[in-house]
Amino acid sequence: MRVLALGGAGAMGAAAVRIAAQFPDVDEIVIADRDIGAAQELSDRLPEVTAPVRVAQVDVTDSDGLHAALEQADVVLNTVGPYYRFGLTVLRAAIETGTDYLDICDDWEPTLDMLALDAEARAAGVCAIVGMGASPGVSNLLALSAARSLDRVHDVYTAWPVDVAGADDDRAQLIGPDGRPSAAAVHWMQQISGTIATVADGRLLRQRPLRPLRLVLPGDRCGTAYTVGHPEPVTLHRSLEITGDAVNLMVIRSPTVAYLDGLRRDIDAGALTNQQAAALIAEPTLSRGVRSLISALRFESPGTLPPFFAVATGLRDDRPETVLARLSSGLETFAVTTDMATATGIPLALGLSQLIGAGIRRPGVHPPEAVIDPDRFFAGLLAHLGDPDATAAVVIERSTLAPLADR
């Protein structure tokens, strides 16, 4: 299997390459990046690998060069963001060249556009999996783990940590090596501004982001989290046939969400671009910091919510039930304290391992929960991280608590 790691010299691509290069089913891995020097540096720094590694200079805005690189690969790992700019372009090229595809797309807008290419991918015999990172990705598989014991799914909420206790400080990853805001930072500003896709009463609709949801979860956990634009609601809505609500949430401290809300208002008013707002995330100004501390009094705290989880409500044996799926303590520590690149790149590599070695290949465009085996995935994650104290990767807790969420 010949693997093209597109954007492979970037932080998230490099994390996936380091693991994928160890897979026995990989015959060759090409680190493809517009920065050929960075690609070569990564290649030189890789530990002993089982597959031959070479580098190539590829710019996704060069259609001919992109197609030429894809034609030499069996599968592409696309970590070139932001996906609202480049995701659809690369997937279309992969379909045209008959190349299987995985990415870590975390923008809901291109996710909808890419899912719309399902028929074209099926006709071309291409299997594409979009959003195979941490969130989306791990979060989707947690949601599937929570929902699959229910006979009927009503609500689904997925959540990931921003700055709760113990969370890794990813500020360095918000600024690229060129001193400009990273694609991840610009993406974040895109998804806290304007309107975002959510699900209400089983229907997709647009709402403003950073709305508070107070959650009451199994295990006597409660607190408030805040909505953010992400692909999980739009894919889980289809995959799990949700009849109620679905949103993606940030588990975040009050001063931080207050700071984001100030940026949101200025972006929506046209006073800031996404790029300018992203720069202010990495390097906050004193005046904005003071204003956010004052306005933080209006925002609720995350309380005792887990940092990374999915929760589903519905019916089981005609009785209402709430099911919480969270990572076990060792994996939760990994998700919270590990840098964003590693926490995203490892799931992408594990998704690749299932695509090339677990018989899940099915032509079409799919979210992770539609094709990835969650039990196999979490077992692989546990084995990869080598947590000697963990007996399971995912903890499932149930209750009949109601209501689940107060808006």
Side-chain angles (χ1 to χ4, degrees), residues 163-240:
D163 63 350
V164 292
D168 180 72
D169 183 0
D170 280 319
R171 183 164 297 170
Q173 295 191 48
L174 298 178
I175 295 293
D178 58 0
R180 294 184 297 181
S182 66
V186 176
H187 150 77
W188 199 13
M189 297 304 97
Q190 173 84 2
Q191 301 305 333
I192 64 154
S193 59
T195 59
I196 60 173
T198 63
V199 178
D201 295 326
R203 295 179 298 176
L204 282 174
L205 76 162
R206 301 284 191 91
Q207 295 179 316
R208 77 161 179 86
L210 299 185
R211 293 183 304 112
L213 259 70
R214 179 167 177 77
L215 300 173
V216 179
L217 304 180
D220 295 324
R221 296 177 178 85
C222 62
T224 299
Y226 290 82
T227 61
V228 62
H230 246 228
E232 287 94 329
V234 302
T235 68
L236 293 169
H237 168 242
R238 302 183 183 197
S239 304
L240 301 180

Side-chain angles (χ1 to χ4, degrees), residues 209-279:
L210 299 185
R211 293 183 304 112
L213 259 70
R214 179 167 177 77
L215 300 173
V216 179
L217 304 180
D220 295 324
R221 296 177 178 85
C222 62
T224 299
Y226 290 82
T227 61
V228 62
H230 246 228
E232 287 94 329
V234 302
T235 68
L236 293 169
H237 168 242
R238 302 183 183 197
S239 304
L240 301 180
E241 298 181 352
I242 294 170
T243 60
D245 299 347
V247 294
N248 187 246
L249 300 163
M250 295 183 293
V251 182
I252 184 171
R253 295 188 304 117
S254 302
T256 308
V257 73
Y259 188 85
L260 291 180
D261 192 58
L263 294 177
R264 174 188 70 84
R265 293 173 184 274
D266 285 346
I267 294 171
D268 290 348
L272 288 175
T273 65
N274 288 336
Q275 287 76 13
Q276 290 169 334

